Amino acid sequence: MDLTQPNAANMEYMIEAIKTKLRMASGAAMQASAFPLDKYEDLYDLYEMVLGKEHLSISEVEAVASELGKLRKA
């Protein structure tokens, strides 16, 4: 999968990977369709940061969740 190509399928893949890594209990509320394609680069950067870490602290998880909230469609 080439995640450098901005498309809906890649966004869905990254969202699912982030939710899995964060073990988000409310992950069902976070659908890939809620994120605009013009935020792809920001989401990709967040994806790389999250998946690049072996462990995330509670404050890092909260920061990622907050950033995801900011990237969602208004």
Side-chain angles (χ1 to χ4, degrees):
M1 176 171 279
D2 181 8
L3 295 178
T4 62
Q5 300 300 315
N7 60 54
N10 285 349
M11 288 188 80
E12 184 169 347
Y13 176 83
M14 290 188 293
I15 295 292
E16 291 303 315
I18 290 170
K19 289 187 326 189
T20 299
K21 179 77 174 191
L22 299 182
R23 297 182 187 111
M24 294 181 72
S26 61
M30 190 173 308
Q31 301 295 322
S33 60
F35 294 85
L37 199 54
D38 66 339
K39 299 291 185 184
Y40 188 87
E41 288 296 321
D42 295 327
L43 182 61
Y44 182 70
D45 291 341
L46 192 60
Y47 166 82
E48 284 192 316
M49 188 277 297
V50 169
L51 277 283
K53 289 185 167 270
E54 189 172 329
H55 301 287
L56 292 167
S57 68
I58 292 172
S59 61
E60 287 173 320
V61 170
E62 289 172 352
V64 169
S66 174
E67 190 61 30
L68 286 169
K70 292 176 189 174
L71 294 177
R72 290 180 60 153
K73 293 178 185 173

